[in-house]
């Protein structure tokens, strides 16, 4: 069965410093992996996705993530945090096999705080 | 092309009442997913529908909960006889059903049971 583990429930960084949000997954199939962001009282926005193409994936707002199959990881990074990055971040896996029965498996989320 | 539209955004129900949550997928999307987010938890899959068909309802409680996605109109998540434990944010997502299950999410409906 597939699962996602976000290793940190809370991360706090200073503005202008790097961001690292860690995610490990387990999957029976070749997974698709996603990072979503949820700002307070807002909907969920897709940051980036990995779908078996390039292992280094670039997303919106300067975020990127690297798929490492040997480590079963998909950590999210950003070189320099901005105050507006403060939000909840979710790592998501989908490894539905061919066909229609697919669903997303969500991590519990990492709350990112950015300090001035 | 409007995004996924959910309404209402906020819904307050007394215990025992019915809650009806609506989701209009993005234009051209025929796959709809419902997720529930309990406080301080990630999203939990509830049900996956295509037009007029329930494909996977393995995440939905067996009693009081039902979902539909008719040929015309929005998808409806219906909760009968609500209890306090049903208080949560309910998110709907849609996808075009391509090989990549990238889903686009609505802003959610926050249900409060009093």
């Amino acid at each position: 069965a597939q699962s996602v583990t976000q290793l940190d429930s809370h991360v706090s960084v200073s503005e202008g410093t790097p961001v690292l949000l860690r995610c490990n997954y387990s999957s029976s199939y070749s997974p698709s992996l996603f990072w979503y962001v949820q700002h307070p009282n807002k909907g969920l926005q897709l940051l980036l996705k990995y779908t078996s193409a390039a292992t280094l994936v670039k997303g919106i707002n300067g975020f990127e993530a690297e798929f490492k199959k040997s480590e079963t990881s998909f950590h999210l990074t950003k070189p320099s945090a901005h105050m507006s990055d403060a939000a909840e971040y979710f790592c998501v896996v989908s490894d539905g096999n061919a066909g229609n029965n697919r669903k997303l498996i969500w991590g519990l989320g990492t709350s990112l705080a950015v300090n001035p | 092309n409007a995004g996924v539209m959910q309404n209402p955004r906020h819904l307050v129900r007394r215990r025992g009442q019915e809650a009806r949550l609506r989701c209009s997928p993005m234009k051209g999307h025929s796959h709809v997913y419902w997720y529930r987010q309990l406080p301080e938890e990630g999203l939990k899959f509830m049900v996956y529908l295509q037009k007029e068909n329930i494909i996977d309802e393995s995440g939905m409680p067996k009693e009081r909960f039902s979902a539909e996605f008719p040929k015309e109109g929005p998808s409806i998540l219906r909760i009968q006889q609500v209890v306090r434990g049903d208080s949560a944010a309910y998110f709907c997502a849609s996808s075009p059903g391509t090989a990549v299950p990238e889903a686009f999410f609505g802003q959610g409906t926050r249900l409060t049971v009093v």
Side-chain angles (χ1 to χ4, degrees), chain A residues 67-100:
Chain A
F67 173 70
K68 291 186 176 180
K69 186 175 181 179
S70 61
E71 299 176 10
T72 60
S73 69
F74 190 57
H75 301 333
L76 181 70
T77 60
K78 183 173 180 177
S80 176
H82 191 272
M83 295 296 289
S84 61
D85 294 329
E88 190 83 14
Y89 291 80
F90 293 95
C91 182
V92 184
V93 64
S94 174
D95 67 351
N97 50 6
N100 294 322

